[in-house]
Amino acid sequence: MARHKGRGWNGKLLAAALGVTTLAAVTSVWTAQADPAGGRQPQARVAQPVAKVAADIAHASDRGPQGVNITIDDGPDPVWTPQVLQLLKDSGVKATFCMVGTQAQAHPDLVKAVVADGHRLCNHTVSHDTTMDTKSEAYQSQQILDAERMITKASGGVRPQYYRAPGGAFTPYSRQLAASRGMRPLGWNVDTKDFEHPGVDAMVATVKSEITNGPTVLFHDAGGERSETVAALREVLPWLKQQGYSFGFPVR
């Protein structure tokens, strides 16, 4: 998978992520409960267990050979995510939203709207650092586990089912860590390169020519001006239906 570079907003996201505490991959949280004498004492409460999933990078669709997975990255964004959601609703299409932790934290109403419409959540790290594969395991853990916490909290308790490394910067460690938390590593087959603003016609042509490479298509609803993405989706979705494709989710 080609690495995405040159997105100017990465620095802003990294700055926003400073001070985010590392979430340890543990199963206990502490709550204060009253004791018989009327005092307060901490009591461990065990979190629900998480079922591990496969650690290899998924590309296939749960709808089989004629399935297509629409994936939307880098949001949620208050301008573009609502437009993408409305378009998907009008088209009767479900998608997978790969969310950046700081964006989810800033816009919990949009995370909840994504869930309410029947779409799935994907962890896209805290700050969208495309050099994650060059960083320490401790840093990778912080980016993945803190984003998991932020997205889950913003959604009202719905956990992300996938993990997509920014720019495809997976490592064996990050894949195994995500899988141990129930998040299947998620790749893509068709890159519309909408972050480069190639034009609507070019994006549509890319999908039409490359969909036979595999079912998972990459779009973005944040990280910049996304009117071309919205327009391209408006053309691509009915075309895919006309070709006999159905819309599903990545395998887990």
Side-chain angles (χ1 to χ4, degrees), residues 59-62 67-71 215-218 246-251:
H59 295 87
S61 174
D62 63 4
V68 170
N69 307 320
I70 300 297
T71 63
T216 302
V217 187
L218 173 59
S246 59
F247 297 93
F249 296 110
V251 295

Side-chain angles (χ1 to χ4, degrees), residues 23-36:
L23 175 68
V26 296
T27 59
S28 295
V29 293
W30 290 90
T31 57
Q33 304 244 343
D35 65 17

Side-chain angles (χ1 to χ4, degrees), residues 3 9 28 30 45-46 56 76-77 81-82 102 106 125 132 156 159 170 180 182 186 188 222 242 245:
R3 185 184 299 277
W9 79 318
S28 295
W30 290 90
R45 183 173 62 200
V46 178
D56 58 310
D77 178 271
T81 302
T102 51
T125 74
M132 270 188 61
R159 299 182 64 258
F170 289 100
S180 74
L186 176 59
W188 63 83
Q242 292 167 6
Y245 290 101

Side-chain angles (χ1 to χ4, degrees), residues 57-116:
I57 300 173
H59 295 87
S61 174
D62 63 4
R63 297 300 294 269
Q66 285 297 106
V68 170
N69 307 320
I70 300 297
T71 63
I72 314 289
D73 282 21
D74 295 0
D77 178 271
V79 174
W80 304 109
T81 302
Q83 295 184 45
V84 171
L85 283 174
Q86 187 61 55
L87 179 57
L88 293 171
K89 181 179 291 187
D90 293 343
S91 303
V93 172
K94 304 303 180 186
T96 300
F97 284 76
C98 298
M99 296 187 174
V100 174
T102 51
Q103 293 293 107
Q105 187 176 60
H107 307 290
D109 55 329
L110 294 177
V111 183
K112 291 179 176 68
V114 167
V115 172

Side-chain angles (χ1 to χ4, degrees), residues 156-218:
V158 179
R159 299 182 64 258
Q161 297 189 41
Y162 307 93
Y163 164 65
R164 174 174 276 168
F170 289 100
T171 66
Y173 174 80
S174 68
R175 290 190 293 104
Q176 290 291 341
L177 176 61
S180 74
R181 299 292 303 158
M183 296 177 287
R184 180 73 183 269
L186 176 59
W188 63 83
N189 306 106
V190 182
D191 185 355
T192 62
K193 292 185 171 58
D194 55 349
F195 60 92
E196 295 179 353
H197 302 284
V200 175
D201 291 345
M203 292 162 60
V204 172
T206 295
V207 175
K208 290 183 177 181
S209 64
E210 296 184 13
I211 193 62
T212 54
N213 295 342
T216 302
V217 187
L218 173 59

